[in-house]
Amino acid sequence: MIHPILLCGGSGTRLWPLSRKSYPKQFVPLVGTDTLFQASAKRLSGPDYAAPMVLTNSAFRFIVTEQLAEIGIDPGPVLIEPSGRNTAPAILAAALWLSKPDPDALMLVAPSDHVVPDSAAFRDAVNAGLKEAKEGQLVTFGITPTRHETGYGYLELTAAPESCANTSIALKRFVEKPDAETVEQMVASDHFLWNAGIFLFSARALLEAVTAFAPQLIDPVERAVTEAKPDLGFLRLDPEAWDQVDDISIDYAVMEHATNLTVVPFSAGWSDLGDWDSVLRESNPDERGVAISGPATAIDCDNTLLRSEDDSLEVVGIGLENIVAVAMPDAVLIADKSRSQDVKQAVNALKAKQAKQAESFPKDHRPWGWFESLVVGERFQVKRIMVHPGAALSLQSHHHRSEHWIVVKGTAKVTVDDEVRLISENQSVYIPLGAVHRMENPGKVPMVLIEVQTGAYLGEDDIIRYEDMYSRG
């Protein structure tokens, strides 16, 4: 069996405003109907694949399991990283966990935010590297360049890929992101591929490589795994041990030093969706290079991406050329396509002015579902709240606000102090200031309600929790 290892802790900023720290791009349907994470899980599945192991952070743990459930995939272990330490510690933790029952377990390590349109071709490429991986090689997957790209690292091969189709080729060296002149020379030589950051190897081979080239990682990561604590079906790596781990990528820690590296060329399509320009390329632009998503209209435009992420918000572009326009309910990005890599500068500028849009998504995702603010005024706020079937908010009270709940879909089980009752569609309930209360969804369909808050302070930190099925403080 091949054990997929999905790396799912990133919080990229180059696809702002759609990708934010609280809800990054891997959980968004940027291309197609599935999210990038869901598409990755589907791609790394089949008769020869075990349930995927996911490495993520605490904030995303319920999003991960929710999105896998939506596509009918049961996860394997979900390891929670106490803090971001880059790819080498995460992959090492996965190897240590898998090596307990099977030191020779095969690991297919992949980011969860890439696009690979042809899943069958990708699995064929994986099969092409199986023999070398079983023999102790560290196999990586190189993408045939389709343009002169300075934003990627490159792999130099010992032979041209065309002469070694559907097999693996020995790696000569890694090349860090080169300048434009160097890229032109490399692509012309036919011995260079893009480094996709996807790997296939046995747990034993990875552990041997880390021991040889990054031994300082072994002890703290091993302690973090050994002392990990189960938590609601997740496995929390020990935070004290994890704090001692170096922040280092698998390329720097191992791959650039190892001599047992081979590459499987892949030319069936791939993108890391690293910026809005790449999203435009993957969005099936028309003959004028224009792609639209959502309620958007392009009139006499060229090489332009128009996206509206709100059904009630129409985006219209007239006479635009080389423009990216992305509209969210709370933020709009308009940029020259050639400046797509600079979107992170906008995020930094918003952070500097303490704008919540820099990191927070309009929908605030929680273990039980999500909520969004519809109207915020002086001493009042109106929210829409969705609760998953079988889920429940914590038993809680507030010091500064009272609440009215109006159910608009499904049925809510409501606790207010000592009273428990069912509230159906078009019914409402009042929660006085200071009352101990809880909202649950006892049904089999999502429950939606409108919440009207009134009071002197309406912040999310005005919560005293008495009981919580998700073990939050």
Side-chain angles (χ1 to χ4, degrees):
M1 298 291 286
I2 299 168
H3 294 267
I5 312 297
L6 287 171
L7 305 178
C8 198
S11 56
T13 59
R14 287 180 295 180
L15 290 179
W16 184 91
L18 190 57
S19 174
R20 308 187 199 181
K21 183 178 180 180
S22 68
Y23 203 73
K25 68 172 183 175
Q26 59 263 34
F27 301 123
V28 176
L30 271 163
V31 178
T33 56
D34 288 331
T35 70
L36 299 181
F37 172 67
Q38 289 173 322
S40 298
K42 285 183 176 180
R43 185 164 60 249
L44 307 187
S45 63
D48 299 325
Y49 290 78
M53 175 186 288
V54 180
L55 285 103
T56 188
N57 61 46
S58 185
F60 302 151
R61 66 195 191 282
F62 292 104
I63 299 174
V64 162
T65 52
E66 176 188 331
Q67 291 205 351
L68 288 176
E70 287 175 357
I71 57 173
I73 292 180
D74 292 326
V78 179
L79 273 58
I80 307 301
E81 301 175 73
S83 57
R85 286 294 186 268
N86 218 313
T87 54
I91 294 169
L92 176 58
L96 288 166
W97 181 260
L98 286 174
S99 67
K100 291 179 182 179
D102 182 7
D104 293 306
L106 286 174
M107 304 171 57
L108 178 57
V109 180
S112 60
D113 57 358
H114 291 183
V115 168
V116 181
D118 193 336
S119 295
F122 179 78
R123 288 190 286 267
D124 288 343
V126 172
N127 291 335
L130 281 177
K131 179 176 180 293
E132 285 74 13
K134 291 176 181 177
E135 293 174 351
Q137 290 286 300
L138 304 175
V139 179
T140 186
F141 296 83
I143 310 301
T144 303
T146 56
R147 61 186 182 278
H148 294 169
E149 177 60 66
T150 58
Y152 298 154
Y154 284 72
L155 307 169
E156 184 176 5
L157 311 180
T158 56
E162 290 79 8
S163 63
C164 305
N166 214 22
T167 187
S168 58
I169 307 167
L171 176 70
K172 184 174 182 180
R173 66 183 176 113
F174 283 83
V175 179
E176 287 300 312
K177 296 176 182 178
D179 58 34
E181 183 178 351
T182 304
V183 165
E184 188 173 352
Q185 296 171 357
M186 290 193 305
V187 173
S189 76
D190 292 332
H191 280 61
F192 291 85
L193 302 176
W194 289 336
N195 179 9
I198 305 171
F199 303 98
L200 176 67
F201 39 63
S202 68
R204 185 190 302 275
L206 190 278
L207 293 174
E208 289 175 351
V210 174
T211 301
F213 303 114
Q216 77 280 6
L217 297 177
I218 295 291
D219 180 62
V221 175
E222 190 166 36
R223 283 191 290 113
V225 172
T226 301
E227 298 172 20
K229 298 292 192 298
D231 178 12
L232 300 174
F234 307 102
L235 191 71
R236 288 185 178 272
L237 299 174
D238 182 73
E240 185 176 342
W242 197 253
D243 282 345
Q244 308 304 313
V245 178
D246 288 350
D247 184 334
I248 188 170
S249 72
I250 193 67
D251 283 357
Y252 282 134
V254 171
M255 299 302 170
E256 294 185 1
H257 309 287
T259 57
N260 58 331
L261 274 158
T262 56
V263 182
V264 174
F266 185 72
S267 58
W270 169 90
S271 174
D272 70 343
L273 290 187
D275 57 26
W276 284 114
D277 190 18
S278 62
V279 173
L280 172 58
R281 286 194 296 270
E282 297 297 324
S283 299
N284 298 316
D286 63 18
E287 65 278 2
R288 296 185 64 171
V290 174
I292 62 174
S293 177
T297 302
I299 300 173
D300 195 25
C301 295
D302 293 284
N303 301 315
T304 289
L305 175 67
L306 300 178
R307 288 183 70 112
S308 173
E309 301 299 328
D310 188 324
D311 289 341
S312 63
L313 197 161
E314 288 282 345
V315 174
V316 179
I318 302 175
L320 302 180
E321 186 174 354
N322 299 321
I323 292 295
V324 168
V326 182
M328 299 282 291
D330 64 337
V332 177
L333 169 71
I334 301 172
D336 189 289
K337 189 165 67 76
S338 66
R339 301 290 300 276
S340 292
Q341 291 280 343
D342 296 331
V343 171
K344 57 187 176 182
Q345 294 181 20
V347 177
N348 292 335
L350 291 174
K351 285 182 183 178
K353 62 190 290 187
Q354 298 183 329
K356 64 180 182 180
Q357 289 91 338
E359 297 184 336
S360 297
F361 207 67
K363 282 186 179 178
D364 194 326
H365 289 261
R366 297 298 173 93
W368 42 261
W370 53 260
F371 71 83
E372 60 181 340
S373 293
L374 303 178
V375 181
V376 179
E378 185 177 356
R379 296 182 61 88
F380 79 91
Q381 180 173 204
V382 181
K383 291 182 177 180
R384 176 167 55 179
I385 300 175
M386 189 283 289
V387 184
H388 295 302
L393 282 67
S394 60
L395 186 67
Q396 60 186 255
S397 65
H398 309 296
H399 283 304
H400 303 288
R401 70 175 183 255
S402 59
E403 298 171 343
H404 287 82
W405 295 343
I406 305 99
V407 175
V408 296
K409 179 181 178 182
T411 299
K413 180 182 178 182
V414 175
T415 299
V416 182
D417 290 328
D418 296 329
E419 181 184 5
V420 180
R421 55 184 169 135
L422 295 178
I423 306 296
S424 300
E425 291 182 15
N426 297 320
Q427 294 182 324
S428 64
V429 63
Y430 172 60
I431 314 297
L433 186 151
V436 177
H437 60 281
R438 177 172 15 220
M439 175 198 314
E440 305 173 59
N441 181 358
K444 298 184 181 298
V445 297
M447 183 266 289
V448 180
L449 60 80
I450 301 300
E451 177 182 85
V452 181
Q453 302 177 354
T454 58
Y457 178 73
L458 306 175
E460 286 302 311
D461 54 347
D462 179 23
I463 295 179
I464 302 171
R465 288 194 176 97
Y466 304 97
E467 296 176 9
D468 183 51
M469 64 189 295
Y470 308 107
S471 301
R472 295 170 295 173

